[in-house]
Amino acid sequence: MPKQLIIDGKAFEAEDGITVLQACEQAGVEIPRFCYHERLTIAGNCRMCLVEVQGMPKPVASCAMGVSDLPPNRDGTPKQIMTRTPMVKKAREGVMEFLLVNHPLDCPICDQGGECDLQDQAMAYGSGGSRYDENKRAVEEKYLGPLIKTAMTRCIQCTRCVRFMTEIAGVEELGAIGRGEDMEITTYLERGMISEMSANVVDLCPVGALTHRPWAFSARPWEMRKTESIDVMDGVGSSIRIDARGSEVMRILPRNNDLVNEEWISDKTRHVADGLRTQRLDQPYVRRNGRLEPASWDEALAAAGMRLKDTPSQRIGTIVGDLAGAEEMFALADLMGRLGSRNIDCRQDGAKLDPALGRASYVFNATIEGIEKADAILLVGTNPRLEAAVLNSRIRKRWRQGGLKVGLIGAPVDLTYACEHLGAGPQTLVEVAEGRHPFAKVLAEAKHPLVIVGQAAARRADGAAVLATVAKIALAASQGKDMGATAFNVLHTVGGRVAGLDLGIVPGEGGMDTGGMVAAAGAGKLGVLFLLGADEIDMTKLGSAFVIYLGSHGDAGAHRADVILPGAAYTEKSATYVNTEGRVQMTHKAAFPPGAAKEDWTIVRALSEQAGNKLPYDNVTVLRKAMYEKAPRLAWMAGAGAENVSGVEKAAARGGQMANDAFGAVITDFYLTNPIARASAVMAELSAIKRNAAARPAAAE
């Protein structure tokens, strides 16, 4: 039942269950705070949010007082809440003075300067002086890993970092020791934190106690251009902000998007920025006499174009990589179609996803936000903690609310929430599909069951049969529940896959898929292989095929290439990406490609002239118009979900025989999954730390 309040003299109707702080915010009244955060549990320990409540002799901590807990006035009038009275002003000045008692005056050298809540609130609510003239306490620095730089003397014990690691990340590695003045935030075993989302604690820290170690002392916030963009390190498509100075990307921060990533990003997303600067391809290369030598654009395009023109179409193959945007994929597919080649595939891991079945057969139909409605989840061949860390935190968020049962078919892993390991492979999957496994009853009785299948299941040789069985389980679980296709969900691990499937970048009739092209190249049956940022295939099996590589980094594909065409990274172009739930989003150019590198679609357009089949678009607007005609869904950036269930039904109808071997792991090293991450020194250090931690037994072992 709504509660009638008077906030600073204005009547306001507050919904039941919210706090006084939230009611004031909804009424447009700003309340200062340090410990309170809307996505964390309430601690109530900074006291900065004090307000005066009618009838109460002392100021009240508004973050910890619910509006339904306010005692009614005897005369029945609405309770009055005052945020600007002399009592409140004096109380906040006292709290601020107390918080600054031990805080060092080192703002000029603090990386938080310019983005510091303590600075802002001291200016707005502080008294401008202090009566404390004793020595300030000093706290020994803590090692929290290579991502987080500490200055714990600045810490005001708001415990936001502790609550985040415990509640959101699900890794209880931070805690408080001591009491009163001796209280300190530290790791339990005095070692670096091992979590895929640990660096979010720096965003949460309201002072400069926790800052980012990789870009310490490198720039001030006001020196950098801020560009809103999209992350492509995994299939989630998190909203990010790219801060650049000059031609260099300095840092990557999260943007709030409640539908996708809320306000969290993974450590890989945040700290891969140094990989954008190293091992870059900044000029074309042509292999002469067995060696790659620098060349001009005219020379490189002529060499590649001549090979494409002189090679029969059935001997030309194209493999699209994981980070490619929709524009360059469409342009390249258009060129190959004009050349007559049907050997093209965007599934470089060999996933048996077929866009001909319908969009519902290859996207996360429930949407990421829809996870919060689930009361039963079956995970098949996936480890969402490594494959989509932010999505995994959303499952944990739902699990913490209670009433969620999670079952896993695949390799047993720690997902940060309670999960029943049902089995390792297809045999268990068949038992669930036939209703012989107890978890089949759990799915049948659930109001909002979800079945999530990962790429470890889809990329197998029998992937089509596995997907068909999963689709049958999802259809059976959703029977009679008006769920449409939302019970069936495919979790993608890469940023460019769904857009490729939307564009139909799979082999044409009689064409070869990724595995077929690699085998044909090794057997001498493929003359030219075009790699659009494809670095995850086995380059040693390509035989004597002429390899054209278009990409941004000197990774495996560039080492094998005969012609290298330097392209742009995702921070250096405006490109369309589609995340795992089918949400169409767009990156924006935050910096220019290095050296002579160019945007990928323009390279394909220039190559088409040399290949004798000039593409009919000279600017990105005309290209996108043609792309939207080919795939109208890419023009819809309004949301995700609501796919036709017929796609799931078609997938279920395919059937097939499954092998008995267990589902493997699609990601074995979270930090080194793509060329940009492999070029990052920070990611390499994190990878080494994770390997060493896994090899080192804990004290109890």
Side-chain angles (χ1 to χ4, degrees):
M1 180 178 178
K3 180 94 170 183
Q4 299 295 325
L5 300 174
I6 297 177
I7 300 175
D8 286 344
K10 296 181 180 179
F12 179 75
E13 190 175 86
E15 56 189 278
D16 191 26
I18 67 173
T19 64
V20 172
L21 185 149
Q22 291 170 321
C24 292
E25 293 283 330
Q26 290 178 9
V29 178
E30 182 182 1
I31 303 294
R33 82 293 300 266
F34 289 114
C35 69
Y36 174 80
H37 191 279
E38 57 268 21
R39 302 195 195 278
L40 304 175
T41 55
I42 294 171
N45 53 10
C46 78
R47 319 308 285 182
M48 195 63 203
C49 64
L50 295 173
V51 298
E52 183 179 355
V53 178
Q54 178 189 13
M56 293 188 175
K58 295 181 180 180
V60 172
S62 59
C63 73
M65 173 67 74
V67 295
S68 56
D69 297 329
L70 294 172
N73 293 330
R74 292 183 178 180
D75 59 0
T77 58
K79 181 67 71 176
Q80 292 193 46
I81 297 171
M82 294 149 284
T83 68
R84 300 171 185 169
T85 62
M87 176 196 284
V88 174
K89 183 176 184 296
K90 182 178 180 181
R92 289 176 179 172
E93 288 178 352
V95 170
M96 181 59 68
E97 184 180 8
F98 178 74
L99 291 174
L100 293 174
V101 158
N102 285 309
H103 195 84
L105 299 176
D106 59 356
C107 296
I109 64 165
C110 178
D111 262 335
Q112 198 83 339
E115 299 174 320
C116 179
D117 290 347
L118 189 62
Q119 281 182 332
D120 297 340
Q121 294 188 41
M123 288 291 293
Y125 303 103
S127 62
S130 175
R131 293 165 289 181
Y132 187 82
D133 57 4
E134 304 295 327
N135 292 329
K136 294 179 181 286
R137 76 164 185 167
V139 181
E140 184 179 350
E141 301 307 336
K142 309 296 189 297
Y143 177 72
L144 301 184
L147 301 183
I148 303 170
K149 187 177 186 296
T150 64
M152 300 310 290
T153 302
R154 302 171 185 158
C155 181
I156 61 171
Q157 285 91 37
C158 71
T159 68
R160 279 185 178 183
C161 55
V162 177
R163 284 175 283 151
F164 171 83
M165 293 302 296
T166 302
E167 299 165 13
I168 308 296
V171 181
E172 298 183 7
E173 293 185 323
L174 277 182
I177 60 173
R179 292 174 62 86
E181 189 182 54
D182 296 325
M183 179 178 171
E184 297 181 19
I185 304 297
T186 183
T187 54
Y188 294 113
L189 299 177
E190 296 188 2
R191 70 181 187 188
M193 293 191 291
I194 305 296
S195 169
E196 296 75 28
M197 299 180 65
S198 63
N200 287 288
V201 300
V202 178
D203 293 335
L204 291 171
C205 184
V207 297
L210 305 177
T211 56
H212 293 292
R213 189 183 296 275
W215 60 69
F217 309 127
S218 60
R220 286 296 193 184
W222 55 85
E223 298 176 337
M224 296 180 281
R225 302 186 311 276
K226 300 169 177 61
T227 306
E228 295 186 352
S229 191
I230 301 299
D231 171 57
V232 299
M233 290 295 107
D234 55 28
V236 176
S238 300
S239 296
I240 58 174
R241 192 188 83 194
I242 302 170
D243 290 358
R245 184 175 62 184
S247 61
E248 186 175 354
V249 173
M250 302 299 294
R251 63 180 186 177
I252 297 172
L253 299 174
R255 286 190 295 123
N256 189 78
N257 186 341
D258 288 342
L259 300 177
V260 181
N261 60 304
E262 297 183 304
E263 58 190 87
W264 320 122
I265 55 176
S266 72
D267 291 349
K268 180 167 58 179
T269 296
R270 184 187 301 266
H271 286 294
V272 79
D274 68 314
L276 294 166
R277 301 189 289 268
T278 55
Q279 297 185 20
R280 291 302 303 270
L281 299 174
D282 57 359
Q283 68 180 74
Y285 289 85
V286 174
R287 190 176 295 276
R288 299 187 180 100
N289 300 319
R291 296 186 52 151
L292 283 170
E293 297 179 358
S296 67
W297 269 110
D298 289 341
E299 291 173 329
L301 290 172
M306 181 182 67
R307 283 285 184 158
L308 289 172
K309 185 188 297 185
D310 295 343
T311 304
S313 60
Q314 66 271 18
R315 288 176 54 82
I316 299 175
T318 303
I319 301 177
V320 176
D322 298 335
L323 304 183
E327 285 78 2
E328 53 260 33
M329 284 193 281
F330 170 75
L332 185 57
D334 191 2
L335 173 59
M336 292 303 164
R338 292 169 186 268
L339 292 173
S341 173
R342 297 176 180 176
N343 307 317
I344 186 168
D345 202 349
C346 69
R347 308 162 299 181
Q348 73 169 324
D349 60 355
K352 303 303 184 289
L353 299 166
D354 187 357
L357 300 176
R359 205 165 190 256
S361 69
Y362 60 84
V363 298
F364 200 97
N365 293 288
T367 73
I368 296 173
E369 185 186 32
I371 291 172
E372 298 187 23
K373 300 178 183 178
D375 49 0
I377 297 178
L378 175 62
L379 302 172
V380 180
T382 181
N383 177 0
R385 181 175 175 180
L386 298 185
E387 296 170 20
V390 173
L391 184 144
N392 190 66
S393 72
R394 187 79 75 139
I395 299 177
R396 175 175 168 79
K397 177 182 178 181
R398 173 62 189 90
W399 172 77
R400 290 186 69 245
Q401 295 169 358
L404 174 67
K405 295 182 179 179
V406 182
L408 171 64
I409 300 177
V413 289
D414 177 13
L415 296 174
T416 73
Y417 43 83
C419 177
E420 181 184 356
H421 185 243
L422 309 180
Q427 184 176 354
T428 307
L429 196 64
V430 171
E431 292 178 4
V432 175
E434 295 177 352
R436 295 185 285 113
H437 196 284
F439 204 82
K441 184 179 180 181
V442 173
L443 293 172
E445 294 177 350
K447 294 181 180 179
H448 295 282
L450 300 185
V451 183
I452 302 175
V453 58
Q455 300 305 300
R459 70 176 184 174
R460 293 160 51 110
D462 60 352
V466 173
L467 291 170
T469 306
V470 173
K472 292 175 184 176
I473 294 173
L475 290 173
S478 60
Q479 192 170 5
K481 298 174 184 176
D482 192 27
M483 292 183 64
T486 57
F488 180 79
N489 301 278
V490 177
L491 179 58
H492 290 272
T493 59
V494 297
R497 181 68 48 79
V498 178
L501 294 172
D502 282 344
L503 287 166
I505 299 183
V506 294
E509 185 178 352
M512 293 180 283
D513 61 9
T514 297
M517 282 184 274
V518 172
K525 298 179 181 179
L526 204 66
V528 177
L529 182 61
F530 195 114
L531 302 180
L532 179 59
D535 295 276
E536 314 306 323
I537 62 174
D538 190 346
M539 302 296 171
T540 64
K541 296 182 178 180
L542 299 184
S544 60
F546 187 87
V547 176
I548 304 170
Y549 180 80
L550 196 169
S552 61
H553 283 70
D555 206 74
H559 290 172
R560 172 58 184 83
D562 295 287
V563 173
I564 295 177
L565 307 174
Y570 70 103
T571 57
E572 300 158 359
K573 60 188 176 184
S574 175
T576 303
Y577 288 88
V578 185
N579 75 347
T580 189
E581 58 181 349
R583 187 180 303 275
V584 183
Q585 304 180 106
M586 190 171 290
T587 62
H588 296 285
K589 181 184 290 188
F592 287 93
K598 302 180 183 296
E599 289 194 37
D600 301 54
W601 79 266
T602 64
I603 298 173
V604 176
R605 165 64 177 76
L607 177 62
S608 68
E609 289 192 63
Q610 298 292 332
N613 281 272
K614 183 179 176 181
L615 296 176
Y617 24 82
D618 296 328
N619 59 64
V620 73
T621 302
V622 178
L623 182 149
R624 284 179 178 149
K625 181 180 179 182
M627 183 175 73
Y628 296 155
E629 291 175 357
K630 167 78 173 178
R633 187 62 179 79
L634 294 179
W636 185 52
M637 297 192 182
E643 301 297 340
N644 196 316
V645 71
S646 64
V648 183
E649 294 171 342
K650 291 177 182 177
R654 286 200 299 182
Q657 187 67 34
M658 293 184 290
N660 292 325
D661 51 316
F663 297 125
V666 68
I667 293 179
T668 55
D669 192 329
F670 171 76
Y671 301 104
L672 304 177
T673 56
N674 59 62
I676 301 176
R678 288 191 287 269
S680 166
V682 176
M683 294 298 107
E685 184 177 0
L686 288 168
S687 175
I689 289 174
K690 190 67 176 283
R691 287 196 304 270
N692 293 338
R696 184 177 64 243
E701 298 175 341

mmCIF file of all heavy atoms in Angstrom, residues 5 15 25 102 120 140 228 231 278 296 325 331 399 407 455 473 476 549 564 575 581 591 616 626 634 687:
data_model
loop_
_atom_site.group_PDB
_atom_site.id
_atom_site.type_symbol
_atom_site.label_atom_id
_atom_site.label_comp_id
_atom_site.label_asym_id
_atom_site.label_seq_id
_atom_site.Cartn_x
_atom_site.Cartn_y
_atom_site.Cartn_z
ATOM 1 N N LEU A 5 3.807 10.759 2.219
ATOM 2 C CA LEU A 5 4.895 11.460 2.890
ATOM 3 C C LEU A 5 4.906 12.914 2.449
ATOM 4 O O LEU A 5 4.386 13.264 1.386
ATOM 5 C CB LEU A 5 6.248 10.825 2.548
ATOM 6 C CG LEU A 5 6.474 9.357 2.918
ATOM 7 C CD1 LEU A 5 7.809 8.885 2.358
ATOM 8 C CD2 LEU A 5 6.443 9.162 4.432
ATOM 9 N N GLU A 15 5.972 4.207 -2.767
ATOM 10 C CA GLU A 15 5.539 2.814 -2.848
ATOM 11 C C GLU A 15 6.053 2.028 -1.650
ATOM 12 O O GLU A 15 7.122 2.319 -1.093
ATOM 13 C CB GLU A 15 6.037 2.189 -4.154
ATOM 14 C CG GLU A 15 7.531 2.278 -4.363
ATOM 15 C CD GLU A 15 7.956 1.856 -5.749
ATOM 16 O OE1 GLU A 15 8.081 0.636 -5.973
ATOM 17 O OE2 GLU A 15 8.143 2.735 -6.591
ATOM 18 N N GLU A 25 14.943 10.247 -3.346
ATOM 19 C CA GLU A 25 15.478 10.281 -4.709
ATOM 20 C C GLU A 25 14.346 10.327 -5.730
ATOM 21 O O GLU A 25 14.418 11.057 -6.725
ATOM 22 C CB GLU A 25 16.360 9.054 -4.956
ATOM 23 C CG GLU A 25 17.649 9.018 -4.150
ATOM 24 C CD GLU A 25 18.709 9.942 -4.713
ATOM 25 O OE1 GLU A 25 18.724 10.164 -5.934
ATOM 26 O OE2 GLU A 25 19.527 10.448 -3.930
ATOM 27 N N ASN A 102 41.108 10.776 9.225
ATOM 28 C CA ASN A 102 42.301 10.024 8.876
ATOM 29 C C ASN A 102 42.584 9.998 7.377
ATOM 30 O O ASN A 102 43.523 9.336 6.939
ATOM 31 C CB ASN A 102 42.184 8.578 9.380
ATOM 32 C CG ASN A 102 42.383 8.479 10.878
ATOM 33 O OD1 ASN A 102 43.361 8.999 11.414
ATOM 34 N ND2 ASN A 102 41.450 7.839 11.556
ATOM 35 N N ASP A 120 33.592 15.498 -4.090
ATOM 36 C CA ASP A 120 32.348 16.184 -4.448
ATOM 37 C C ASP A 120 31.478 16.451 -3.227
ATOM 38 O O ASP A 120 30.940 17.555 -3.054
ATOM 39 C CB ASP A 120 31.574 15.353 -5.471
ATOM 40 C CG ASP A 120 32.325 15.192 -6.784
ATOM 41 O OD1 ASP A 120 33.230 16.002 -7.037
ATOM 42 O OD2 ASP A 120 32.011 14.249 -7.534
ATOM 43 N N GLU A 140 48.745 -0.237 6.234
ATOM 44 C CA GLU A 140 49.624 -0.943 5.311
ATOM 45 C C GLU A 140 48.875 -1.277 4.023
ATOM 46 O O GLU A 140 47.703 -1.658 4.052
ATOM 47 C CB GLU A 140 50.131 -2.230 5.967
ATOM 48 C CG GLU A 140 51.131 -3.004 5.127
ATOM 49 C CD GLU A 140 51.617 -4.261 5.838
ATOM 50 O OE1 GLU A 140 51.329 -4.416 7.039
ATOM 51 O OE2 GLU A 140 52.254 -5.092 5.169
ATOM 52 N N GLU A 228 30.702 6.476 -26.060
ATOM 53 C CA GLU A 228 29.841 5.359 -25.667
ATOM 54 C C GLU A 228 29.891 4.287 -26.747
ATOM 55 O O GLU A 228 29.744 4.572 -27.934
ATOM 56 C CB GLU A 228 28.408 5.837 -25.443
ATOM 57 C CG GLU A 228 28.272 6.794 -24.264
ATOM 58 C CD GLU A 228 26.834 7.148 -23.979
ATOM 59 O OE1 GLU A 228 25.957 6.778 -24.788
ATOM 60 O OE2 GLU A 228 26.571 7.774 -22.930
ATOM 61 N N ASP A 231 30.921 -3.583 -25.932
ATOM 62 C CA ASP A 231 32.009 -4.546 -25.774
ATOM 63 C C ASP A 231 31.777 -5.760 -26.668
ATOM 64 O O ASP A 231 30.639 -6.196 -26.859
ATOM 65 C CB ASP A 231 32.089 -4.993 -24.309
ATOM 66 C CG ASP A 231 33.054 -6.141 -24.123
ATOM 67 O OD1 ASP A 231 34.225 -5.983 -24.497
ATOM 68 O OD2 ASP A 231 32.634 -7.203 -23.619
ATOM 69 N N THR A 278 49.290 -2.936 -28.888
ATOM 70 C CA THR A 278 50.452 -3.780 -29.160
ATOM 71 C C THR A 278 50.143 -4.827 -30.224
ATOM 72 O O THR A 278 48.989 -5.232 -30.402
ATOM 73 C CB THR A 278 50.932 -4.489 -27.876
ATOM 74 O OG1 THR A 278 49.831 -5.221 -27.310
ATOM 75 C CG2 THR A 278 51.414 -3.474 -26.852
ATOM 76 N N SER A 296 52.710 -1.512 -50.340
ATOM 77 C CA SER A 296 51.713 -0.441 -50.401
ATOM 78 C C SER A 296 50.326 -1.064 -50.501
ATOM 79 O O SER A 296 50.179 -2.258 -50.792
ATOM 80 C CB SER A 296 51.978 0.450 -51.612
ATOM 81 O OG SER A 296 51.744 -0.284 -52.813
ATOM 82 N N GLY A 325 32.507 -7.140 -37.433
ATOM 83 C CA GLY A 325 31.232 -6.444 -37.406
ATOM 84 C C GLY A 325 30.361 -6.850 -38.580
ATOM 85 O O GLY A 325 30.827 -7.427 -39.573
ATOM 86 N N ALA A 331 29.732 -7.122 -46.558
ATOM 87 C CA ALA A 331 30.476 -6.741 -47.759
ATOM 88 C C ALA A 331 31.277 -7.915 -48.306
ATOM 89 O O ALA A 331 31.304 -8.157 -49.524
ATOM 90 C CB ALA A 331 31.405 -5.560 -47.443
ATOM 91 N N TRP A 399 19.535 -16.409 -8.151
ATOM 92 C CA TRP A 399 19.696 -17.491 -7.181
ATOM 93 C C TRP A 399 19.661 -16.958 -5.748
ATOM 94 O O TRP A 399 19.088 -17.591 -4.856
ATOM 95 C CB TRP A 399 21.009 -18.215 -7.448
ATOM 96 C CG TRP A 399 21.386 -19.220 -6.414
ATOM 97 C CD1 TRP A 399 20.877 -20.471 -6.259
ATOM 98 C CD2 TRP A 399 22.358 -19.048 -5.373
ATOM 99 N NE1 TRP A 399 21.475 -21.099 -5.188
ATOM 100 C CE2 TRP A 399 22.385 -20.248 -4.634
ATOM 101 C CE3 TRP A 399 23.203 -17.997 -5.005
ATOM 102 C CZ2 TRP A 399 23.223 -20.416 -3.533
ATOM 103 C CZ3 TRP A 399 24.043 -18.161 -3.919
ATOM 104 C CH2 TRP A 399 24.049 -19.365 -3.194
ATOM 105 N N GLY A 407 20.585 -26.935 -12.711
ATOM 106 C CA GLY A 407 21.197 -28.221 -13.024
ATOM 107 C C GLY A 407 22.223 -28.043 -14.134
ATOM 108 O O GLY A 407 22.040 -27.215 -15.025
ATOM 109 N N GLN A 455 28.360 -23.388 -26.384
ATOM 110 C CA GLN A 455 29.059 -23.730 -27.615
ATOM 111 C C GLN A 455 29.844 -25.034 -27.502
ATOM 112 O O GLN A 455 30.153 -25.657 -28.525
ATOM 113 C CB GLN A 455 29.990 -22.591 -28.010
ATOM 114 C CG GLN A 455 29.271 -21.271 -28.255
ATOM 115 C CD GLN A 455 28.154 -21.393 -29.276
ATOM 116 O OE1 GLN A 455 28.391 -21.757 -30.420
ATOM 117 N NE2 GLN A 455 26.928 -21.090 -28.867
ATOM 118 N N ILE A 473 13.762 -30.759 -25.000
ATOM 119 C CA ILE A 473 13.628 -30.546 -23.551
ATOM 120 C C ILE A 473 12.971 -29.199 -23.283
ATOM 121 O O ILE A 473 12.075 -29.081 -22.437
ATOM 122 C CB ILE A 473 15.015 -30.622 -22.875
ATOM 123 C CG1 ILE A 473 15.577 -32.032 -22.987
ATOM 124 C CG2 ILE A 473 14.928 -30.192 -21.415
ATOM 125 C CD1 ILE A 473 17.014 -32.162 -22.506
ATOM 126 N N ALA A 476 9.250 -29.282 -24.183
ATOM 127 C CA ALA A 476 8.489 -30.047 -23.187
ATOM 128 C C ALA A 476 8.344 -29.258 -21.884
ATOM 129 O O ALA A 476 7.279 -29.269 -21.252
ATOM 130 C CB ALA A 476 9.193 -31.380 -22.915
ATOM 131 N N TYR A 549 44.621 -12.417 -45.300
ATOM 132 C CA TYR A 549 44.185 -12.152 -43.923
ATOM 133 C C TYR A 549 43.839 -10.678 -43.772
ATOM 134 O O TYR A 549 44.664 -9.793 -44.032
ATOM 135 C CB TYR A 549 45.283 -12.527 -42.929
ATOM 136 C CG TYR A 549 44.901 -12.273 -41.482
ATOM 137 C CD1 TYR A 549 44.097 -13.170 -40.793
ATOM 138 C CD2 TYR A 549 45.335 -11.132 -40.809
ATOM 139 C CE1 TYR A 549 43.732 -12.946 -39.471
ATOM 140 C CE2 TYR A 549 44.977 -10.900 -39.489
ATOM 141 C CZ TYR A 549 44.176 -11.804 -38.827
ATOM 142 O OH TYR A 549 43.814 -11.569 -37.517
ATOM 143 N N ILE A 564 48.546 -9.574 -46.144
ATOM 144 C CA ILE A 564 47.932 -9.040 -44.927
ATOM 145 C C ILE A 564 47.333 -7.678 -45.243
ATOM 146 O O ILE A 564 48.020 -6.783 -45.749
ATOM 147 C CB ILE A 564 48.961 -8.907 -43.788
ATOM 148 C CG1 ILE A 564 49.480 -10.284 -43.363
ATOM 149 C CG2 ILE A 564 48.349 -8.188 -42.596
ATOM 150 C CD1 ILE A 564 50.557 -10.229 -42.292
ATOM 151 N N ALA A 575 30.485 -0.022 -36.097
ATOM 152 C CA ALA A 575 30.068 -1.308 -36.674
ATOM 153 C C ALA A 575 28.902 -1.885 -35.886
ATOM 154 O O ALA A 575 28.733 -1.605 -34.696
ATOM 155 C CB ALA A 575 31.238 -2.291 -36.683
ATOM 156 N N GLU A 581 21.563 -12.524 -27.033
ATOM 157 C CA GLU A 581 20.099 -12.511 -26.952
ATOM 158 C C GLU A 581 19.456 -11.932 -28.207
ATOM 159 O O GLU A 581 18.241 -11.753 -28.252
ATOM 160 C CB GLU A 581 19.647 -11.722 -25.719
ATOM 161 C CG GLU A 581 20.142 -10.302 -25.709
ATOM 162 C CD GLU A 581 19.730 -9.508 -24.489
ATOM 163 O OE1 GLU A 581 18.882 -9.985 -23.718
ATOM 164 O OE2 GLU A 581 20.257 -8.405 -24.309
ATOM 165 N N ALA A 591 38.804 6.060 -31.541
ATOM 166 C CA ALA A 591 40.156 6.413 -31.984
ATOM 167 C C ALA A 591 40.306 5.966 -33.428
ATOM 168 O O ALA A 591 39.468 5.224 -33.957
ATOM 169 C CB ALA A 591 41.205 5.750 -31.098
ATOM 170 N N PRO A 616 28.671 -2.207 -55.086
ATOM 171 C CA PRO A 616 27.946 -0.977 -55.449
ATOM 172 C C PRO A 616 27.692 -0.017 -54.288
ATOM 173 O O PRO A 616 26.636 0.600 -54.232
ATOM 174 C CB PRO A 616 26.631 -1.532 -55.998
ATOM 175 C CG PRO A 616 26.394 -2.752 -55.184
ATOM 176 C CD PRO A 616 27.758 -3.347 -54.930
ATOM 177 N N ALA A 626 21.721 -1.656 -48.008
ATOM 178 C CA ALA A 626 21.724 -2.964 -48.667
ATOM 179 C C ALA A 626 21.727 -4.093 -47.641
ATOM 180 O O ALA A 626 21.078 -5.133 -47.835
ATOM 181 C CB ALA A 626 22.939 -3.070 -49.587
ATOM 182 N N LEU A 634 18.551 -6.607 -38.563
ATOM 183 C CA LEU A 634 19.682 -5.788 -38.133
ATOM 184 C C LEU A 634 19.333 -4.307 -38.060
ATOM 185 O O LEU A 634 20.074 -3.528 -37.462
ATOM 186 C CB LEU A 634 20.868 -5.994 -39.074
ATOM 187 C CG LEU A 634 21.505 -7.384 -39.071
ATOM 188 C CD1 LEU A 634 22.647 -7.459 -40.059
ATOM 189 C CD2 LEU A 634 21.990 -7.752 -37.671
ATOM 190 N N SER A 687 46.417 -14.386 -16.734
ATOM 191 C CA SER A 687 46.380 -15.793 -17.116
ATOM 192 C C SER A 687 47.414 -16.596 -16.330
ATOM 193 O O SER A 687 47.120 -17.703 -15.837
ATOM 194 C CB SER A 687 46.630 -15.927 -18.621
ATOM 195 O OG SER A 687 46.720 -17.276 -19.005
#
